[in-house]
Amino acid sequence: MIIKKHETSGSCILAICDNHLLGKTIKEGNKQMEVSKQFYEGKETKEEILASIRDGTIFNIVGDESIKFALKNNLITKDNIKKIGGVPYAQSF
């Protein structure tokens, strides 16, 4: 998994994705999601993710491994999860 922290005025966005999805575009019908390096490329450790969780106010999560991790650590609920092209993703505010 990879995490990147984006600090904005008043909030911290944590972008988390599975390594193999970085730089890919996922499509299904007229839906499309880009797992861009600019937004997601960062640290590749679970320890970094765990250390950053307390700072996060918004989470963008893509991929099976990342979604399982987020569920286990109560970052999202099952209701947050959607899929495009068979790839799960979630946003939590």
Side-chain angles (χ1 to χ4, degrees), residues 70-84:
L71 284 169
K72 180 180 175 185
N73 289 281
N74 299 314
L75 303 180
I76 59 171
T77 66
K78 288 185 178 183
D79 293 338
N80 297 115
I81 302 169
K82 297 180 174 142
K83 286 190 177 187
I84 293 179

Side-chain angles (χ1 to χ4, degrees), residues 12-66:
C12 177
I13 301 168
L14 296 180
I16 305 169
C17 74
D18 291 6
N19 297 36
H20 70 280
L21 294 173
L22 187 64
K24 296 195 175 180
T25 300
I26 302 159
K27 298 178 182 180
E28 180 180 315
N30 63 352
K31 296 181 200 172
Q32 178 174 308
M33 176 174 54
E34 184 178 351
V35 187
S36 71
K37 288 184 178 184
Q38 181 180 2
F39 188 75
Y40 286 94
E41 189 169 44
K43 307 266 184 185
E44 293 189 42
T45 66
K46 288 183 183 177
E47 292 78 25
E48 183 71 28
I49 295 170
L50 288 170
S52 298
I53 286 173
R54 70 179 182 282
D55 298 331
T57 52
I58 300 170
F59 297 92
N60 286 293
I61 305 162
V62 181
D64 289 315
E65 181 183 1
S66 297

